[in-house]
Amino acid sequence: MVVCKCRKATKLYCFVHKVSLCGECICFPEHQICVVRTYSEWVIDGEYDWPPKCCQCQAVLEEESGSETTRLGCLHVIHTSCLVSHIKSFPPHTAPAGYVCPLCSTTIWPPKNVKDSGSRLHSLLKEAIMLTGLEKNLFGNHPVSLAVAESRGPPPAFASDPIVNVNASSSPSKDGINITEGYTAPSTVSEIMEIDGPSPAGNFIKSSSPVVRVL
């Protein structure tokens, strides 16, 4: 494992820029069509073909050409329109694992090389798949949602009940008797008193009872 510039542990490596990438920075514009594999693959053989080609139509991919591309979980890059056509070409009853990359036959969903399900690579691939209208076929037992997560309050164990002011006029009663009538809150006043004779604590002690002088 290596660390990308986002300070995340990752195994992905850009062969072109010679930098480590995570599921977020792999989607940056400068890496849109880069050859990305694992770091261990780069150590074994760092050679790659350039310029890269769409893994479906084999057309040369150009940077900032205006054509939309999508990076699959196997890390191959494909025109988004080619991906839509490719997915629609499968029989209607194809199992989720049957939808595979046209070049390496790796399952399209879920992404194989990026385990972080909240990464930008996941989000962009979801959006491309949903353009086909066959997302239920591909997601299978991996349901996903593109909805923005709602803000959540504290769990019940930490939630506080609203403060209720209680006064004499609206005090609760039990069996028709006002339970706060004639009730005075206890108060304790600490006083200092003087005593005669030796004391381990000195001649002054703290007392919560009325002042008493010991003779």
Side-chain angles (χ1 to χ4, degrees):
M1 299 289 284
V2 289
V3 178
C4 71
K5 58 184 177 183
C6 300
R7 310 307 298 169
K8 294 181 180 179
T10 179
K11 61 180 180 179
L12 306 183
Y13 196 79
C14 176
F15 282 33
V16 180
H17 295 94
K18 305 294 188 297
V19 294
S20 301
L21 301 175
C22 66
E24 294 293 326
C25 48
I26 194 176
C27 299
F28 290 168
E30 60 267 30
H31 301 299
Q32 182 180 4
I33 63 173
C34 286
V35 178
V36 179
R37 298 289 181 268
T38 64
Y39 180 76
S40 58
E41 288 179 292
W42 178 78
V43 171
I44 296 172
D45 183 7
E47 298 294 328
Y48 62 93
D49 295 327
W50 193 263
K53 298 179 180 180
C54 169
C55 62
Q56 168 67 6
C57 68
Q58 295 300 309
V60 173
L61 299 174
E62 298 180 4
E63 294 180 292
E64 301 179 358
S65 61
S67 60
E68 294 187 5
T69 59
T70 299
R71 190 178 293 275
L72 303 178
C74 58
L75 304 178
H76 288 127
V77 180
I78 186 173
H79 289 121
T80 303
S81 58
C82 289
L83 176 61
V84 172
S85 300
H86 175 64
I87 291 176
K88 288 184 176 181
S89 67
F90 287 90
H93 301 293
T94 301
Y99 292 90
V100 297
C101 168
L103 186 61
C104 67
S105 297
T106 299
T107 303
I108 293 176
W109 187 267
K112 174 186 176 183
N113 289 296
V114 180
K115 302 302 181 183
D116 180 9
S117 59
S119 70
R120 184 163 175 76
L121 184 142
H122 275 71
S123 299
L124 294 178
L125 183 53
K126 290 175 193 174
E127 293 176 5
I129 291 174
M130 294 183 75
L131 293 175
T132 66
L134 301 173
E135 59 273 12
K136 291 183 179 179
N137 295 14
L138 277 84
F139 296 153
N141 294 327
H142 304 275
V144 295
S145 173
L146 293 177
V148 178
E150 297 180 358
S151 59
R152 300 180 180 178
F158 298 95
S160 300
D161 293 331
I163 298 175
V164 179
N165 292 324
V166 179
N167 51 44
S169 61
S170 62
S171 59
S173 61
K174 182 177 181 181
D175 298 332
I177 301 175
N178 193 327
I179 64 175
T180 60
E181 184 177 356
Y183 173 75
T184 303
S187 61
T188 301
V189 179
S190 297
E191 300 178 1
I192 304 298
M193 67 180 182
E194 181 180 358
I195 62 175
D196 294 334
S199 170
N203 292 332
F204 298 92
I205 64 174
K206 197 173 186 180
S207 172
S208 59
S209 60
V211 176
V212 176
R213 183 175 182 80
V214 181
L215 298 176

